[in-house]
Amino acid sequence: MIENREQIILIIDDDKDLLESLYKYLVSKGYKKVLTAKNLAEAEFKIINNNLDLIILDLMLPDGSGFELLKKIRKKSRVPVIILSALDGIEDKREGFGNKADDYIVKPFLPEDLLWRIEAVLRRSLGSMSESRIKLGKVIFDKERAMLIRNNKEENLTAKQFQILNLLANNLNKIVSINQILDEVWGETYGYENTLITHIYRIREKLEEDPKNPKILVTIKGLGYKLVSDEDV
């Protein structure tokens, strides 16, 4: 069982009654942030504007195909997707998994079956994230791909930005001295102080809500910098 159910789940389906029943069911099981969308347009808006942890996707929607939405999602994000569809053909399942769906459930279904699948997918996702992804406020630092992700939008880091952020992330909630950063990133402790300041600001532009008033990558005056974990932001 997932103990912390703060994950944001989006259910996409054109069946109003199904949306309402699934919303109530997941909330009753402790999921506090359940969103719904009844068509592709509404779904795309919510995908862009929320940092989703899981998407439950119907394939037959009034304004297009769920397969096309899945393809769009996979071009930008690895957010887990569970297909929930009346389409039960082997070709449909092949296309779903071929486009990197994480699971495929055929309607009609038991709510408990969906719940177990959700928990299994989230366990895998959160386990992987704990190793290669770090949540920093509303942004995810993806170490494997050297990028920051905000509301499912990806922003690449330069080599030096990645080295600095990775060093700070490996010392999360701890002060890292300026000399330590200079030594590990540039191999010298003198001559790159101003360059480091510039890189720090560029990272903050990608990481912070307000780069001039940082809350995640903070300066510890006279000592160095500290990267603050999600729960402390």
Side-chain angles (χ1 to χ4, degrees):
M1 181 179 292
I2 304 295
E3 296 298 332
N4 178 8
R5 296 192 167 185
E6 295 290 337
Q7 295 83 19
I8 305 175
I9 298 174
L10 172 63
I11 309 168
I12 306 166
D13 201 296
D14 63 341
D15 185 331
K16 182 180 177 181
D17 292 336
L18 179 63
L19 278 183
E20 185 175 348
S21 65
L22 283 181
Y23 172 84
K24 290 180 178 178
Y25 178 72
L26 292 179
V27 169
S28 75
K29 294 302 179 181
Y31 288 99
K32 301 174 183 178
K33 300 177 182 177
V34 181
L35 309 177
T36 62
K38 58 185 177 296
N39 54 50
L40 288 178
E42 189 177 350
E44 290 188 23
F45 177 82
K46 291 187 176 180
I47 289 169
I48 290 171
N49 289 284
N50 293 278
N51 204 5
L52 301 174
D53 295 287
L54 175 69
I55 295 172
I56 299 170
L57 175 63
D58 186 20
L59 295 177
M60 295 185 291
L61 297 166
D63 52 347
S65 166
F67 283 130
E68 293 307 312
L69 178 59
L70 179 57
K71 290 176 185 177
K72 287 183 181 180
I73 292 169
R74 284 293 172 259
K75 288 179 181 179
K76 298 181 178 180
S77 172
R78 295 191 295 179
V79 60
V81 176
I82 296 176
I83 291 175
L84 185 62
S85 175
L87 298 176
D88 60 356
I90 189 66
E91 291 302 322
D92 299 309
K93 294 178 181 178
R94 180 180 289 115
E95 185 170 358
F97 286 114
N99 284 295
K100 300 181 181 178
D102 294 85
D103 207 339
Y104 195 117
I105 303 176
V106 176
K107 299 177 182 178
F109 63 96
L110 293 173
E112 291 85 356
D113 187 20
L114 176 60
L115 179 65
W116 297 331
R117 306 288 187 96
I118 288 171
E119 291 180 344
V121 168
L122 284 176
R123 275 197 301 271
R124 292 196 298 269
S125 174
L126 295 172
S128 173
M129 182 180 292
S130 67
E131 297 174 3
S132 64
R133 291 181 161 195
I134 297 174
K135 196 167 185 181
L136 304 167
K138 296 181 180 179
V139 180
I140 293 171
F141 173 33
D142 188 328
K143 291 186 175 186
E144 286 187 358
R145 297 190 294 163
M147 63 174 51
L148 297 174
I149 304 169
R150 183 196 296 273
N151 296 329
N152 294 311
K153 290 184 178 179
E154 300 174 345
E155 184 144 20
N156 292 318
L157 297 165
T158 66
K160 283 290 188 285
Q161 288 171 1
F162 172 76
Q163 287 177 275
I164 294 166
L165 195 55
N166 192 49
L167 173 60
L168 293 169
N170 289 339
N171 293 275
L172 199 61
N173 297 317
K174 298 178 182 178
I175 299 170
V176 181
S177 71
I178 291 173
N179 280 350
Q180 184 181 349
I181 298 173
L182 294 175
D183 185 51
E184 296 204 24
V185 176
W186 280 276
E188 300 181 35
T189 56
Y190 298 100
Y192 291 94
E193 293 89 345
N194 289 336
T195 303
L196 172 60
I197 291 171
T198 300
H199 280 295
I200 291 290
Y201 187 77
R202 296 302 179 211
I203 293 171
R204 284 173 172 161
E205 285 184 318
K206 299 177 180 181
L207 183 63
E208 302 278 359
E209 294 275 349
D210 180 3
K212 294 181 179 179
N213 183 31
K215 298 183 182 300
I216 301 170
L217 203 176
V218 297
T219 301
I220 309 300
K221 193 170 182 180
L223 296 175
Y225 298 97
K226 180 170 71 170
L227 197 64
V228 181
S229 67
D230 175 50
E231 56 265 25
D232 292 330
V233 174

